[in-house]
Amino acid sequence: MKGRKRDADWNQPGKNQQKDRINLNNKSITVVIPLYNEEESLVELSVALKKTLDSLRTNWEVIFIDDGSTDRSYLKLLEIHRVNSRFKCIKFKRNYGKSAALQEGFKAATGDYVITMDADLQDDPEEIPNLLSKLIGGYDLVSGWKKKRKDPIIKKSTSKLFNLVTSMIVGLRLHDYNCGLKAYVKDVVKNIKVYGEMHRYIPAIAHLSGYKVTEIPVVHHERKYGKTKFGVSRFLNGIFDLITVIFTTQYMKRPLHLFGLIGLLSFIAGFGILLYLTIMKFVESVPISGRPLFFVGILFAIVGVQFFSIGLIGEMITKSSADLDNVIIDKTLG
Ligand SMILES: Nc1nc2c(ncn2[C@@H]2O[C@H](COP(=O)(O)OP(=O)(O)O)[C@@H](O)[C@H]2O)c(=O)[nH]1
Ligand SMILES: [Mg+2]
C-alpha cells in the first residue's frame, strides 16, 4: 500500500486535474484488452474502467479478447456484457497469443482513440486520461512506462537490457517497449500488423513506419490474482522478433540491399585473399595448397556468392507479391 501511495505521488499533480482538463472534442474511445485466464480480475477491472471512461464524457467501448481461456473468464465477460453492453468480447476458439488478440481487437475497434491494457489489474485505468492528453497534443502513439515496476528483480533487469538494445537498434529511446498500457490514434492500429510475438515491438513498428511515438510514466501495481503467463521463452522469442521487425520494416521490399551488401563484402574479402595467394605463388613461388588462408579465402568467396543469391531470390519473391506495397498515406490534397 505504501508503494502504491508513493506511485500516486510522483504522478501528481495531474491525475484528477488532468481528467477535467482534457478536451476530447467528441472523439470516441475504444479500450482493447487481451486476456488469458484472468477470471478473478475482470469484474473489478470493468468497474474501474467504467468509472474512468464515464468521466471523460464521450462515447466509449471496451473490447475484451478472450484468447481461449480455460477458466471462467468468458462467463465473467458474459455477465459484464449483460450489465453494460459497452463491454464487448471476442472469444477465440483456442489460444493464439497476445499479438493475435491485439490484432483482432484493433480490427474491431471503432474509436478515434484506441487504448490497450492488460487484464490483470497491474495497469491502472486512471492513467487513460494522461495517455489521451498526449495524443491530443499531437502524438500518434503513447506508450506507458512502468517506472516503478512491481515485478520480480530478474524480470526487471532483463527487461532493462531488452529495452536498451531495442532502443539502440530501432533508434527510438523508450524505457518500456512491452508495457501493456498504450494509447493510439485510430490510424496507427488500422495500418500496422501485429502477429507472432510482435506485440512487444508495436512502438518500434510505428516509429519505423513514420508515426510520432512517445512515452509517459504510469503507475504499475502488483499482480493481485493468478500468475504471469510469460515464462523465460519471452527472452529468446524477443530477439528473433526484433530481427523480424527490422527486416520487415526496413528491408522487406529491398532484400538485396541487406543480403547483397553482406555478400559483396564477404566476396571482396575472399577474392582479395585468393588474389594475394595467387600473386605470392607466381612472384615468390609460395605454394597455395595447405595454407589455412587459402580455405579462409574460399570460404569468404562462397559465402559471399550465397548471400548475394539469397538477396536476389528475395527480390524475386518481393516483385511477384503485389500486396507488399503497403504505403501508409498521411494526407492527400484534391
Ligand atoms: N490474448 C492473450 N493474452 C495473454 C496471453 N498471455 C497473457 N495474456 C494477457 O496479457 C496480459 C499480461 O500478461 P501477464 O501474464 O500479466 O504478463 P506480465 O505482466 O508481463 O508478467 C494479461 O492481461 C494477460 O491476461 C495470451 O496467450 N493471449
Ligand atoms: Mg501482468
Side-chain angles (χ1 to χ4, degrees):
M1 218 42 222
K2 211 171 137 215
R4 241 162 115 156
K5 174 88 176 59
R6 242 187 297 129
D7 276 347
D9 284 341
W10 60 252
N11 211 25
Q12 304 288 359
K15 257 188 159 177
N16 296 321
Q17 290 169 9
Q18 190 80 276
K19 249 186 268 177
D20 299 336
R21 236 187 314 134
I22 74 168
N23 178 8
L24 284 165
N25 262 330
N26 265 337
K27 296 236 168 88
S28 54
I29 297 170
T30 298
V31 182
V32 173
I33 307 180
L35 66 111
Y36 180 63
N37 292 350
E38 304 282 4
E39 57 179 5
E40 301 101 326
S41 313
L42 296 173
V43 172
E44 199 174 324
L45 176 66
S46 305
V47 172
L49 268 171
K50 182 173 181 326
K51 188 171 151 237
T52 302
L53 292 170
D54 276 344
S55 77
L56 294 171
R57 289 189 204 88
T58 188
N59 205 358
W60 59 265
E61 64 173 354
V62 175
I63 305 178
F64 288 104
I65 320 288
D66 180 359
D67 190 7
S69 293
T70 50
D71 64 356
R72 289 178 309 139
S73 291
Y74 183 67
L75 293 178
K76 294 278 176 196
L77 293 174
L78 209 65
E79 225 173 83
I80 294 165
H81 174 72
R82 278 205 193 109
V83 176
N84 187 338
S85 60
R86 286 183 190 233
F87 289 90
K88 302 164 185 176
C89 170
I90 298 173
K91 183 182 182 325
F92 289 177
K93 203 100 180 143
R94 65 165 170 88
N95 183 258
Y96 283 91
K98 196 171 176 178
S99 291
L102 285 172
Q103 182 64 41
E104 285 307 310
F106 288 164
K107 226 162 62 181
T110 59
D112 299 303
Y113 295 131
V114 178
I115 312 277
T116 59
M117 66 187 294
D118 288 352
D120 55 3
L121 296 170
Q122 287 194 271
D123 295 335
D124 197 325
E126 288 197 26
E127 295 288 356
I128 291 176
N130 300 333
L131 294 167
L132 286 173
S133 72
K134 277 278 178 189
L135 291 185
I136 293 167
Y139 284 97
D140 299 309
L141 192 169
V142 184
S143 183
W145 166 19
K146 295 163 282 181
K147 201 167 178 180
K148 300 211 170 148
R149 195 167 167 180
K150 302 292 161 53
D151 279 320
I153 187 94
I154 171 85
K155 194 156 148 187
K156 283 196 277 196
S157 39
T158 37
S159 158
K160 240 186 195 144
L161 183 71
F162 161 86
N163 282 301
L164 205 65
V165 173
T166 308
S167 296
M168 269 162 48
I169 297 178
V170 174
L172 168 74
R173 181 66 178 122
L174 290 189
H175 294 84
D176 197 357
Y177 270 85
N178 195 21
C179 184
L181 188 57
K182 291 192 172 72
Y184 312 79
V185 295
K186 186 181 191 171
D187 195 45
V188 178
V189 304
K190 296 295 179 189
N191 278 316
I192 61 172
K193 299 253 175 308
V194 248
Y195 58 91
E197 304 242 331
M198 220 65 92
H199 58 268
R200 290 192 193 94
Y201 298 104
I202 294 178
I205 299 170
H207 171 71
L208 294 170
S209 303
Y211 290 110
K212 269 177 84 180
V213 180
T214 189
E215 69 181 354
I216 58 167
V218 292
V219 179
H220 190 235
H221 303 301
E222 253 162 80
R223 208 179 222 286
K224 227 162 143 184
Y225 311 103
K227 54 179 197 294
T228 177
K229 272 82 190 181
F230 294 98
V232 273
S233 66
R234 74 197 306 161
F235 303 122
L236 245 193
N237 293 340
I239 296 168
F240 292 139
D241 287 330
L242 181 59
I243 297 172
T244 312
V245 166
I246 297 294
F247 185 73
T248 52
T249 50
Q250 304 293 90
Y251 295 104
M252 186 100 144
K253 283 174 62 199
R254 47 189 188 105
L256 193 60
H257 287 222
L258 179 67
F259 293 108
L261 182 69
I262 300 172
L264 204 63
L265 290 178
S266 177
F267 185 80
I268 289 172
F271 186 79
I273 291 171
L274 294 177
L275 190 67
Y276 164 75
L277 290 177
T278 311
I279 291 171
M280 290 300 276
K281 162 127 176 108
F282 286 112
V283 178
E284 313 242 339
S285 299
V286 186
I288 291 182
S289 62
R291 297 191 63 176
L293 199 56
F294 180 47
F295 296 98
V296 175
I298 290 178
L299 190 73
F300 272 126
I302 291 178
V303 167
V305 172
Q306 280 187 333
F307 264 102
F308 210 89
S309 314
I310 292 172
L312 278 179
I313 291 174
E315 289 286 335
M316 285 157 73
I317 295 173
T318 305
K319 294 290 171 294
S320 57
S321 53
D323 64 313
L324 274 177
D325 261 329
N326 43 12
V327 172
I328 303 172
I329 294 170
D330 191 20
K331 290 183 181 69
T332 51
L333 289 173

